[in-house]
Amino acid sequence: MNFKKVLNKIKPTEQEKNEMFKIVKEILHKIEIKDTVVSLGGSGAKNTWLKDSNEIDIYVRFNYNKFKDNDSEISSILGKALRRKFKNIMRLHGSRDYFQIKYKNFTIEAIPILDIINPEDAKNITDISKLHVDYVLKHLRFSNDIRLAKAFAKANKIYGAESYIGGFSGYLLELLVIHYKGFMNLVKNAAKWKKQTVIGDKGAVRELNESKIGPLIFLDPVQKSRNAAAALSQEKYNQFIGLCKEFLKSKSEKFFELKEIKIPRNAIIINFETLHEKKDIAGAKFVKAFRFVQTQLELEGYKVLGRDWKWDYEKGIHWFLLKENTLEPLIKVKGPPIKFKKDLDRFKDKHKEIFISKGRSFAFIKREYLNAEEFIKSLFKLPTVKDNLRSIMLE
Ligand code: CTP
Ligand code: MG
């Protein structure tokens, strides 16, 4: 396998890098706020971004002593300064509000943070982002390996710590590659991961909140009592281990290429539009809606053999493959054992005809929706589906 060939596809060229830096320079010039330091952040600053990304993180660091007791104000101060110089600004609500700007072909995220040296001083999780950049920059020699890890995760749909994905954040992959000293070493080690893996200062595990404990615990070298892998789900953790095992067997460039989703021939396809909200919120909501559809299908008696979705933003499709698309028209309901006379009488009152088998009563009721499509359509009207999506319909 030729990693160089993969890197050629995923690594921005010198020209693309220069183009990005030119845009960054323009933006840094435009943001003028007294007592702040404005700098490139995120994967741009860490030299770990992928070719197809057009997102630029800009950190606007405000003086700590001046704002430590009223740090929520820095969002509005930044907003005012941005509005003087840019059009197309959107204020996004997060643990602290930040801004999204459409600028030329890029999406700029301007994030107000407090300028700190000590992670303990953080008033907000984003305050620490600059310290992450500093840490990764100390290990610049791994930047290509980090790109490989990100492309590997992205191609296999396990990239992103947003709740609707539950995968690996860019920062977690950076930490993993640095910890194992390279992409191949990460793969070799992860292939051997067991049920739970703890990496880093194990003494700090006890300080973690239970909600932050999952299959992978990576104690953040920047912030000792944080699990950098807290958002990783069991499913994506297992998937990663499986992928690493497969990759070791048949090293192939295919592992770095995004596959079109293959919809099985008999699948039921649903088209949907998500709510106009921040991507991670809109994503979390549509995932919730379809989880509900799946549970209801299973409760009704359908066997879900597979499902998947494709969603970029706003419009998406979701398919379900069922063992059978129609079920028996009658549903067998269990009644009480016949020795419980009172319960049995009540059961008799409820059903026209009851049957007895092995000392237990049962009855049949008519199924309301005879096939899966009709049943799914009926779910579209329920709040968990309706309220979490903008529109939904069968294809
Ligand atoms: N961050 C974090 N944990 C997360 C998400 C974000 O610590 N779950 C911090 C990291 O410091 C990260 C920064 O926020 O570098 C910016 O987030 P994001 O743009 O999502 O990640 P990048 O590292 O920039 O990676 P990408 O190439 O995907 O943009
Ligand atoms: Mg980024």
Side-chain angles (χ1 to χ4, degrees), residues 125-303:
I125 171 84
T126 55
D127 293 340
I128 296 164
S129 300
K130 170 67 170 63
L131 305 179
H132 294 161
V133 172
D134 297 342
Y135 178 80
V136 176
L137 280 180
K138 280 194 221 143
H139 305 274
L140 256 182
R141 68 197 155 107
F142 291 120
S143 61
N144 280 346
D145 283 58
I146 289 168
R147 284 196 172 97
L148 289 171
K150 281 177 143 186
F152 183 79
K154 237 182 188 170
N156 294 291
K157 295 176 73 167
I158 53 173
Y159 186 69
E162 293 86 347
S163 70
Y164 71 95
I165 304 174
F168 294 73
S169 70
Y171 183 55
L172 175 58
L173 289 170
E174 287 160 350
L175 291 180
L176 284 167
V177 170
I178 292 168
H179 174 79
Y180 287 119
K181 301 194 166 53
F183 173 70
M184 265 322 289
N185 261 336
L186 162 61
V187 171
K188 281 181 200 156
N189 279 281
K192 289 184 280 189
W193 282 353
K194 297 281 174 308
K195 235 180 160 170
Q196 193 177 49
T197 307
V198 183
I199 302 172
D201 175 10
K202 297 187 174 59
V205 174
R206 270 174 284 119
E207 289 166 42
L208 290 179
N209 189 311
E210 204 178 314
S211 68
K212 304 290 176 197
I213 294 181
L216 178 62
I217 299 175
F218 196 127
L219 293 148
D220 190 342
V222 169
Q223 209 184 348
K224 295 276 178 284
S225 57
R226 176 192 184 218
N227 176 14
L232 182 65
S233 70
Q234 184 75 50
E235 188 195 353
K236 298 290 193 270
Y237 173 82
N238 295 346
Q239 252 171 287
F240 184 63
I241 298 173
L243 282 164
C244 290
K245 284 183 186 161
E246 278 174 49
F247 183 72
L248 289 176
K249 267 192 255 156
S250 61
K251 291 191 192 73
S252 150
E253 282 138 41
K254 292 232 157 51
F255 283 89
F256 300 90
E257 291 160 14
L258 195 70
K259 289 153 232 45
E260 267 299 300
I261 72 161
K262 278 204 198 82
I263 307 174
R265 211 161 38 90
N266 297 326
I268 295 173
I269 302 170
I270 301 165
N271 290 305
F272 66 92
E273 283 178 296
T274 44
L275 296 165
H276 288 311
E277 296 201 51
K278 230 173 88 185
K279 193 168 180 183
D280 55 347
I281 294 174
K285 288 188 173 172
F286 94 72
V287 166
K288 192 172 171 196
F290 285 108
R291 262 203 205 121
F292 176 77
V293 174
Q294 173 169 11
T295 318
Q296 293 305 311
L297 278 165
E298 285 167 347
L299 285 175
E300 181 72 5
Y302 292 99
K303 245 208 165 79

Side-chain angles (χ1 to χ4, degrees), residues 41-44 55-57:
S43 56
E55 258 184 39
I56 297 176
D57 302 298

